[in-house]
Amino acid sequence: MSTMDHPLRQRAENLLSTQHSTAVAANPTPDELVHELLVHQAELEMQNQELRDAQQELEASRLQYLELFRSIPLACFTLTERGVIAEANPATEELFGMPGERLAGYPISLLVEADDHPRFFASLGRLRRGDAWAKQDFSFKGASRRIDGLTDCRLVSLPREDKGDILVTITDVTHLKALERDLHLALRTKERFLAAAAHDLRQPVQALHFLVEQLVRDRQDGPESITAMHMKGSIGALAAMLDSLMDLSRLDAGLLKPAMTSLRLGPLMRQLHAEFGPLAEQKGIRLKTVPTDMTVEADPVMTERICRNLLSNALRYTKSGRILFGVRRQGASVHLEVWDTGIGIAPEQIDRIFQDFVQVGSAVCKPHEGLGLGLSITKRLAEAMGGAISVRSSEGKGSCFAIVLRMTKESKPEPAAPARSSAAPAAVAGRRVLLVEDDAIIRLTMEACLSEWGCEVTSVASGDEALDAIGAGLHPDLLLTDFRLPGSMNGIEIVNALRARLQRPLPGIILSGDTEVGRLLSMQASGCHLLHKPFAPDRLLAAIESALVPA
């Protein structure tokens, strides 16, 4: 671009022309030279003015940036390549409890907790090399407290290198982290308490199971038979509550795995109607069941448990009217539904009813009727099978709970369970059983039951006594052992020790009232059968027959 084409010179020429309208001669004259100098002078003055205007704009932007930087409620500061703080806003001073004069030039390594140094400085290095920064938590040291900060870092371009090249923003999440730690502690404490309480409660209930079963057999033709049956029913209800706690722990531990098969819903629905129909009549409620020929892909035991929970809830919360148990098909899905005319559920309570230990309308139900775990377990069982649960409810009018399962075309009926009699089963009679149980009452009642089935029973109270029995020449066909025992060995360790002493595989059944997830996982991984206390004699018999079947 020539000098004459420059817009600034043209502007200077025009400006000077308005002030000096002197004609320019063909040849340069002193006046023309003066004119040329005046043009250059005007050009320079305009350039200076533009520079002053730009400088003022830059200063205004800087002041605006500083005002914004200082007014941000989050802690913000800039870092230099040397790793020291260049500038910090008042929120940073408040967060770290240090004045700005002290923060300026302060090494960031003294603010970041030593345990977080590798992660923090590695992230800074990647940022300077062009990688994106992902927000993450770091621990910082304030003047008077430890700080948990959600940290964000960005590259910035500032006019002076000593002002830093990285802008750091910290959100104080110390309070949230403390609440999170308190929540985890509370959950662990709750789990330990429930595990201890459940175990201690299961021991006497286990003894009662066998004692009442013996009482029912002894008094089945006498006038006390009705009372004995009522006692058996009450103990069964108590055992069901404890089983709910166990189911919760087993679901959390992932130990309840669905055995998926083609399940015909009709027989299951008729079976449940026969069971719940008389209970509904006792309350003056009509239970209407509409069986179906449809088949779903589901676990039969889990599906039955779900339906029992829903029907039990419907009976519990319905004072009058009717309950409808039926099925609807929607595309490839089957909705197994339970409708009732009960108390209903308030809209704000809908999301809570599937939480643990929550009972809606607890004022209308009796304390012994449940722990508030039924719907929580129902939801988890449905999800374990790949299904879902939904609820519609109108407060004061009733509710509808629906389990959504996948429909199948072919039916594979489940084989009927073999009938059990009081006679000694052939698979159990004559078998040598070593029983390790430290609770004297449970040990005596189980020994009596096993002897009645024709087993040759040796019962001891600890692992050391079990090893002594093996040393004395006992060669058991089966080991029944409690998990928690006095001495240095638990049930799993006893099984391993006896197998090593006998130098052969020894079928084992671990009896446990534990609900602690870690222990359940270790028992499941031991290769032994696991029988959860409290259990009825028929469940023990089934477990023994299963354990004695050659692998």
Side-chain angles (χ1 to χ4, degrees), residues 338-392:
V338 176
W339 295 74
D340 66 63
T341 57
I343 62 173
I345 306 167
E348 63 273 12
Q349 296 288 331
I350 292 290
D351 292 335
R352 296 186 62 244
I353 60 175
F354 295 106
Q355 298 176 9
D356 298 341
F357 306 105
V358 171
Q359 286 183 315
V360 178
S362 57
V364 301
C365 58
K366 299 176 183 179
H368 66 267
E369 289 186 334
L371 296 171
L373 290 173
L375 288 178
S376 172
I377 292 173
T378 295
K379 181 175 183 292
R380 298 187 197 191
L381 291 175
E383 291 173 349
M385 294 189 294
I389 184 171
S390 64
V391 57
R392 288 171 287 164

Side-chain angles (χ1 to χ4, degrees), residues 1-319:
M1 179 181 291
S2 66
T3 304
M4 292 302 295
D5 292 335
H6 198 286
L8 193 60
R9 179 178 177 86
Q10 290 178 357
R11 289 168 54 197
E13 286 277 8
N14 294 336
L15 177 63
L16 196 60
S17 296
T18 59
Q19 298 175 352
H20 304 278
S21 56
T22 307
V24 179
N27 296 319
T29 63
D31 289 340
E32 289 176 345
L33 292 175
V34 170
H35 172 77
E36 186 69 17
L37 290 174
L38 291 174
V39 169
H40 282 295
Q41 181 182 358
E43 184 180 18
L44 291 173
E45 288 178 353
M46 283 186 288
Q47 286 179 336
N48 287 336
Q49 184 60 45
E50 289 182 352
L51 288 174
R52 285 193 294 270
D53 291 343
Q55 187 175 11
Q56 289 177 357
E57 291 179 3
L58 184 61
E59 180 65 14
S61 297
R62 189 184 72 85
L63 293 175
Q64 186 178 12
Y65 162 76
L66 286 176
E67 180 63 26
L68 179 63
F69 180 72
R70 293 184 175 280
S71 62
I72 291 177
L74 300 179
C76 293
F77 56 88
T78 56
L79 275 182
T80 69
E81 290 188 3
R82 296 186 298 111
V84 299
I85 296 176
E87 291 186 344
N89 69 349
T92 304
E93 300 175 18
E94 181 179 355
L95 178 63
F96 289 100
M98 299 168 61
E101 296 81 5
R102 186 182 174 191
L103 281 171
Y106 200 82
I108 189 64
S109 59
L110 298 181
L111 292 181
V112 180
E113 289 281 2
D115 290 343
D116 281 347
H117 277 188
R119 192 163 53 93
F120 182 82
F121 289 108
S123 298
L124 282 183
R126 287 192 297 269
L127 178 64
R128 285 196 169 99
R129 290 192 297 270
D131 293 347
W133 177 281
K135 285 186 178 181
Q136 49 193 310
D137 292 332
F138 292 102
S139 296
F140 298 90
K141 292 179 286 189
S144 59
R145 66 184 180 95
R146 179 180 180 273
I147 301 164
D148 292 310
L150 180 61
T151 307
D152 188 21
C153 294
R154 298 186 182 187
L155 287 173
V156 293
S157 180
L158 297 177
R160 290 170 49 185
E161 292 184 359
D162 62 343
K163 293 299 183 182
D165 66 333
I166 291 180
L167 177 66
V168 182
T169 305
I170 299 176
T171 304
D172 186 4
V173 293
T174 307
H175 181 61
L176 294 177
K177 288 291 183 180
L179 290 176
E180 185 178 318
R181 287 190 291 269
D182 290 344
L183 176 60
H184 289 163
L185 177 61
L187 290 175
R188 287 195 300 269
T189 302
K190 183 198 82 170
E191 183 179 340
R192 288 195 299 268
F193 168 76
L194 289 176
H199 179 271
D200 293 344
L201 286 172
R202 287 171 187 276
Q203 293 294 94
V205 175
Q206 180 61 71
L208 286 172
H209 252 310
F210 282 89
L211 290 171
V212 170
E213 189 72 27
Q214 184 66 46
L215 183 62
V216 168
R217 287 197 300 268
D218 292 345
R219 298 290 189 269
Q220 57 184 348
D221 297 325
E224 303 92 346
S225 60
I226 297 178
T227 302
M229 290 301 297
H230 286 181
M231 289 175 62
K232 183 177 179 179
S234 297
I235 292 171
L238 178 57
M241 293 183 189
L242 294 174
D243 283 343
S244 294
L245 291 174
M246 178 60 73
D247 284 346
L248 199 63
S249 298
R250 294 171 69 197
L251 284 166
D252 288 339
L255 298 181
L256 278 183
K257 302 294 185 182
M260 304 297 283
T261 186
S262 293
L263 174 64
R264 295 170 57 219
L265 292 177
L268 172 63
M269 297 176 72
R270 283 186 282 269
Q271 171 194 333
L272 292 173
H273 180 86
E275 179 180 339
F276 283 90
L279 299 177
E281 289 181 7
Q282 291 177 9
K283 292 189 65 175
I285 299 169
R286 180 190 174 199
L287 172 61
K288 182 180 180 181
T289 300
V290 184
T292 178
D293 293 331
M294 284 188 279
T295 302
V296 296
E297 185 180 3
D299 179 296
V301 176
M302 289 186 175
T303 305
E304 181 178 342
R305 179 70 183 274
I306 289 172
C307 293
R308 285 182 184 280
N309 284 345
L310 295 183
L311 288 169
S312 296
N313 272 0
L315 278 175
R316 182 180 309 166
Y317 293 104
T318 302
K319 292 185 287 186

Side-chain angles (χ1 to χ4, degrees), residues 393-445:
S393 186
S394 177
E395 191 172 14
K397 295 182 179 180
S399 305
C400 171
F401 286 85
I403 301 299
V404 183
L405 299 170
R406 187 167 60 183
M407 187 174 64
T408 58
K409 294 181 180 179
E410 296 182 0
S411 175
K412 299 176 182 177
E414 289 294 303
R420 298 204 179 273
S421 67
S422 58
V428 174
R431 296 288 189 153
R432 295 183 298 273
V433 177
L434 174 57
L435 172 63
V436 188
E437 171 61 68
D438 61 314
D439 188 293
I441 298 178
I442 296 178
R443 188 169 65 249
L444 290 173
T445 54

